[in-house]
Amino acid sequence: MGNLTGKTALVTGASRGIGRAIAEKLGYAGALVAVHYATGADAAAEVAESIEKDGGRAFTVKAELGVPGDVDVLFEGLERGLKERTGATDLDILVNNAGVMAMGAPEEVTPEMFDRMMAVNAKAPFFIVQRALSVMPDGGRIINVSSGLTRVASPDQVTYGMSKGALEQIALHFSRHLGSRRITVNSVAPGSTDNGSALFQIPEVRETLSQLSTFGEVAEPAAIADVVAFLASEDARWITGAFIDASGGTLLG
């Protein structure tokens, strides 16, 4: 498409699933993409290679999120990669996609589980945004991948839902804070999306998850990537602070 030609982007958790689809979509649209991963170097390299095979540009950045020093490690790798390829460290598009999930009854949640999900899903994105603002030009884009579980009850995922609810507050408050710089900040909430997990290969499970959507299907990651790419484009310049329901109608009630 080329509507992001000349832009730079960072996608966290981009080695598989929704993150991979987003990274590939932004690369196809012309952006230079930093493919972040915590583990799975080979998978991340495969994503970068797929972008470059399609005529785009990409590089990988390793950083474990949710641990002390995570943002420093992430941005050291990001800025080094950008500098090598563009001569500058400007970051035009930030997609906070990385996240962790643990399922279990509320009575089974431990302090360690709770802290881990909050650290990766809410704390890390906040400080990534904070750090990104020092290298993001006016008119930049910040997109946070949330979840439909902030709007529907699923007791065995209460902590995950809480962490994503906290993530959504970044769009609400930072969009007002950054309006004068024309930096937009938005949340995208997928529903059941095939992230490559073996769970989606079980016919009975897939059928159950399919019925959550008004379309009667499980989403493919590309469907979410298309929404993110739109928000990253100039076409979405007048959308900020928004919660975008990309759940395929799961949240209709």
Side-chain angles (χ1 to χ4, degrees):
M1 292 188 301
N3 64 338
L4 297 180
T5 299
K7 302 295 186 181
T8 59
L10 166 64
V11 182
T12 67
S15 63
R16 65 183 185 88
I18 293 174
R20 174 175 183 154
I22 292 171
E24 291 178 338
K25 183 71 176 184
L26 298 182
Y28 173 63
L32 166 62
V33 183
V35 178
H36 161 261
Y37 69 99
T39 59
D42 290 345
E46 183 180 313
V47 177
E49 289 170 5
S50 74
I51 292 171
E52 294 185 333
K53 284 179 181 177
D54 283 338
R57 296 189 299 159
F59 62 95
T60 62
V61 180
K62 179 180 181 179
E64 181 181 357
L65 301 182
V67 299
D70 54 356
V71 177
D72 289 336
V73 172
L74 174 62
F75 274 82
E76 285 170 6
L78 171 67
E79 293 178 13
R80 180 170 59 250
L82 291 175
K83 186 78 170 179
E84 290 173 354
R85 291 162 178 81
T86 70
T89 58
D90 290 353
L91 177 66
D92 300 296
I93 302 161
L94 166 63
V95 182
N96 279 309
N97 167 75
V100 294
M101 175 188 286
M103 298 178 63
E107 296 85 354
E108 299 172 353
V109 176
T110 65
E112 293 75 20
M113 291 166 59
F114 185 95
D115 289 346
R116 174 64 176 162
M117 268 188 278
M118 288 296 177
V120 176
N121 299 353
K123 181 179 179 181
F126 176 90
F127 286 102
I128 290 171
V129 170
Q130 183 190 72
R131 179 70 170 266
L133 294 178
S134 65
V135 293
M136 181 170 286
D138 291 356
R141 300 284 187 266
I142 299 171
I143 302 146
N144 299 319
V145 179
S146 183
S147 169
L149 288 169
T150 65
R151 299 296 193 277
V152 295
S154 179
D156 61 351
Q157 298 178 84
V158 57
T159 312
Y160 180 77
M162 289 176 66
S163 69
K164 290 297 189 175
L167 175 68
E168 289 175 9
Q169 297 303 305
I170 294 176
L172 177 64
H173 298 284
F174 272 87
S175 60
R176 174 73 71 181
H177 181 59
L178 298 172
S180 63
R181 293 183 56 189
R182 298 284 173 168
I183 294 175
T184 65
V185 193
N186 293 291
S187 301
V188 174
S192 294
T193 306
D194 188 343
N195 61 5
S197 168
L199 190 69
F200 288 95
Q201 304 309 312
I202 303 173
E204 297 81 3
V205 173
R206 191 177 185 92
E207 176 61 23
T208 298
L209 294 175
S210 295
Q211 296 313 307
L212 297 176
S213 163
T214 192
F215 300 127
E217 299 177 12
V218 168
E220 293 300 322
I224 313 304
D226 287 345
V227 177
V228 172
F230 166 69
L231 291 173
S233 74
E234 180 64 15
D235 290 342
R237 62 192 177 279
W238 211 242
I239 301 174
T240 194
F243 171 87
I244 307 298
D245 176 357
S247 71
T250 300
L251 308 184
L252 291 175

